[in-house]
Every structure is written in C-alpha cells, then in structure tokens.
Amino acid sequence: MPFICYLYEDENQVPYMEILPEASLAEARSLTLDLLHQRPHYGRAELWDGERMVDRFQQDRRPGGAGRGVDATL
C-alpha cells in the first residue's frame, strides 16, 4: 500500500492529499519533506501509512529559517 502525505496550510484547514508511490519509509519521508519544501505556503505535512500517522513535519518559518523543520512529536 502506498504512503499518503497530507499538506496543511493552517490549522483547521482541509489538507491537500498526495499519494506517494510505493516506497520504503525512508523514501516516503524524503518525498514528504521535498513536497513541503517545494510548497512553502503549506505549514505542515503528515505522512500516513494506511490508518497510522508515521511522521509529521513542520515548515521552519522563522526569519532565516531553512524552510524544512521537523516536528519530533511522534
């Protein structure tokens, strides 16, 4: 089963969904980070494997930030 990436602009927003090609978890994480980096108007991304969220990423929106922060809450 492929991984699913949800991209959120803000809290309480309907996410944009991207189905990732079947890949390893490491590849899916990398693809999710790339999607988030390519779309700076999205603030957060979630990576799901079926019905289980496996990772969450947050944009680094601080001045001078790299644009790719990782929220290590999972």
Side-chain angles (χ1 to χ4, degrees):
M1 179 174 205
F3 291 93
I4 299 174
C5 171
Y6 293 101
L7 296 159
Y8 296 84
E9 285 187 52
D10 294 307
E11 293 296 321
N12 304 320
Q13 291 278 331
V14 175
Y16 167 78
M17 182 181 80
E18 183 86 27
I19 297 175
L20 305 178
E22 290 186 293
S24 70
L25 180 55
E27 290 172 322
R29 283 182 171 131
S30 180
L31 286 169
T32 300
L33 275 173
D34 287 344
L35 287 170
L36 190 58
H37 182 65
Q38 293 167 7
R39 297 172 171 103
H41 58 283
Y42 288 110
R44 164 177 117 238
E46 295 175 352
L47 178 61
W48 288 73
D49 182 6
E51 295 185 16
R52 182 176 70 96
M53 183 169 43
V54 293
D55 225 330
R56 183 182 337 184
F57 303 93
Q58 198 79 27
Q59 285 280 16
D60 184 355
R61 293 187 172 179
R62 294 171 294 169
R68 299 177 116 173
V70 176
D71 178 355
T73 58
L74 298 179

